[in-house]
């Protein structure tokens, strides 16, 4: 089943994991998702607060390295799962794709406003949908094609090429979404062979390893205060993932997914209040188009899975 998750803070991603047992607690589901979104936006704001004092690769490494603390409860479960050479290769390739995406995401965070990072981050599921058609042989229907076109138009509205000056942060964010999409397409393949715990745990380990040489190459001394900030960021990311899981368990995707749009609202608000970033209505409008397209695709996937499940039961 497809669900929205996060490849990186505050970046919604369509990821395949085994379907959880869903309850009928819509209010609880919405509240869990709101709390999850606040964690991810808090993480994004924390990275923005650290600014350009620390190189992007080092910042990314410290966030993942300290995040391994929260991985310790998963270790025994992961050790019991059998691994084959092909699985090791797949995890390695996913780690490589995600490593590059994470570095570029941290770089973009220091170069462009919070609202633009959040809005452009919603492109990830769009590239995943395209990649699933090109590389996984999935069928694409007209309504999804229309949603993809709307999302791309939304991105063009945000960027407005030729009408304003674009910097390296915009390019980095565009490339980030492509690498994250590749990462999650690999995760989609892996989800049929290993548990969600293994997928999450191996991503944390491989990305930490992948980031290490980049971080060492640009390493700058950090203070204890900065180390504390990175530990807090790792905690925000972990809490965001757990809270999102609770949301999926409490209510259907049709209830929880529209709540993800609030992350864009919070990013605009935090950018204005904490970092004196002007509210750009072009970014809000384009981001709204992208979010709407992503929510539509999520709904369609949910409806199709339910239809397939009903058909298999009836036969």
């Amino acid at each position: 089943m497809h669900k929205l998750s996060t490849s990186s803070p505050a970046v919604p991603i369509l990821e395949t994991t085994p379907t959880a047992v869903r309850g009928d607690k819509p209010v609880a589901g919405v509240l869990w998702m709101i709390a999850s979104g606040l964690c991810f936006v808090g993480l994004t704001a924390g990275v923005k607060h650290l600014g350009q004092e620390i190189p992007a690769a080092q910042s990314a490494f410290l966030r993942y390295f300290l995040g391994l603390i929260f991985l310790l409860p998963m270790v025994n479960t992961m050790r019991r799962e059998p691994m084959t050479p092909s699985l090791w290769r797949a995890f390695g390739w996913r780690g490589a794709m995600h490593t590059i995406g994470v570095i570029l995401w941290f770089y973009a965070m220091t170069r462009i406003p919070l609202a633009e990072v959040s809005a452009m981050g919603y492109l990830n599921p769009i590239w995943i949908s395209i990649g699933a058609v090109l590389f996984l042989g999935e069928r694409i229907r007209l309504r999804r094609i229309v949603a993809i076109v709307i999302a791309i138009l939304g991105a063009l509205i945000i960027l407005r090429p030729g009408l304003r000056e674009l910097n390296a942060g915009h390019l980095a964010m565009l490339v980030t979404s492509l690498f994250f999409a590749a990462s999650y397409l690999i995760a989609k393949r892996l989800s049929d062979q290993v548990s969600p715990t293994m997928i999450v745990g191996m991503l944390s380990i491989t990305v930490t390893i992948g980031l290490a040489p980049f971080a060492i190459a640009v390493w700058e001394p950090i203070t204890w205060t900065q180390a504390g900030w990175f530990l807090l960021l790792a905690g925000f990311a972990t809490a965001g993932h757990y809270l999102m899981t609770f949301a999926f368990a409490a209510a259907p995707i049709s209830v929880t997914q529209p709540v993800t749009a609030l992350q864009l609202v919070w990013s605009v608000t935090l950018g204005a209040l904490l970092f004196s970033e002007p509210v750009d209505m072009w970014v809000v409008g384009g981001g709204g188009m992208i979010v709407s397209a992503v929510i539509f695709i999520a709904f369609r996937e949910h409806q199709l899975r339910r239809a397939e499940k009903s058909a298999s039961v009836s036969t």
Side-chain angles (χ1 to χ4, degrees):
M1 158 113 206
H2 290 293
K3 72 179 184 179
L4 282 178
S5 184
T6 53
S7 65
S8 75
V11 179
I13 295 290
L14 285 170
E15 181 176 0
T16 302
T17 59
T19 305
V21 177
R22 281 167 172 72
D24 188 20
K25 301 176 181 177
V27 175
V30 168
L31 291 176
W32 284 127
M33 189 61 80
I34 289 175
S36 173
L38 286 172
C39 285
F40 288 127
V41 173
L43 173 54
T44 305
V47 173
K48 186 78 172 179
H49 169 72
L50 290 172
Q52 302 179 30
E53 300 174 7
I54 303 173
Q58 182 180 348
S59 295
F61 170 77
L62 288 170
R63 173 262 179 267
Y64 273 87
F65 178 73
L66 293 173
L68 292 178
I69 295 172
F70 303 100
L71 185 65
L72 293 177
M74 304 180 188
V75 171
N76 286 335
T77 301
M78 293 173 62
R79 289 178 61 186
R80 289 194 293 267
E81 291 205 34
M83 290 286 286
T84 64
S86 62
L87 286 175
W88 282 114
R89 285 193 296 271
F91 279 122
W93 276 111
R94 190 191 181 203
M97 296 294 103
H98 217 87
T99 294
I100 298 173
V102 166
I103 293 174
L104 292 172
W105 185 86
F106 271 76
Y107 176 81
M109 277 298 309
T110 65
R111 296 298 191 279
I112 59 178
L114 278 177
E116 294 191 30
V117 171
S118 294
M120 293 173 67
Y122 279 95
L123 284 173
N124 297 355
I126 302 302
W127 304 137
I128 291 172
S129 292
I130 296 172
V133 174
L134 295 177
F135 303 112
L136 301 183
E138 290 190 2
R139 291 184 299 171
I140 187 169
R141 294 171 173 81
L142 179 60
R143 280 177 286 192
R144 193 194 289 192
I145 293 175
V146 172
I148 290 172
V149 171
I150 290 173
I152 293 174
L153 289 175
L156 290 174
I157 289 174
I158 294 171
L159 295 173
R160 304 189 298 283
L163 299 179
R164 68 163 179 167
E165 182 180 356
L166 301 179
N167 62 41
H170 295 102
L171 178 60
M173 197 62 210
L174 283 175
V175 179
T176 292
S177 63
L178 292 173
F179 277 102
F180 281 150
S183 168
Y184 278 88
L185 286 171
I186 297 173
K188 182 175 182 180
R189 286 278 183 92
L190 287 169
S191 66
D192 295 328
Q193 304 173 65
V194 296
S195 70
T197 297
M198 194 68 171
I199 291 175
V200 172
M202 286 299 295
L203 180 65
S204 297
I205 293 170
T206 54
V207 172
T208 301
I209 295 172
L211 288 169
F214 294 98
I216 292 171
V218 296
W219 193 269
E220 296 284 346
I222 64 170
T223 65
W224 284 107
T225 299
Q226 290 171 326
W229 268 103
F230 281 111
L231 184 60
L232 179 63
L233 297 185
F236 270 136
T238 302
H241 283 291
Y242 275 113
L243 291 169
M244 185 178 291
T245 302
F246 296 154
F248 289 134
I253 192 172
S254 58
V255 174
T256 59
Q257 290 320 299
V259 182
T260 62
L262 289 175
Q263 292 186 31
L264 180 58
V265 176
W266 293 326
S267 295
V268 172
T269 303
L270 281 178
L273 294 179
L274 300 183
F275 304 106
S276 301
E277 296 174 350
V279 178
D280 188 335
M281 297 310 298
W282 290 97
V283 174
V284 174
M289 291 173 64
I290 298 173
V291 170
S292 299
V294 169
I295 291 174
F296 174 79
I297 290 174
F299 283 169
R300 287 296 300 158
E301 290 294 333
H302 180 61
Q303 291 172 347
L304 290 173
R305 294 301 179 273
R306 288 184 62 182
E308 291 172 1
K309 185 177 180 180
S310 299
S312 64
V313 170
S314 62
T315 56

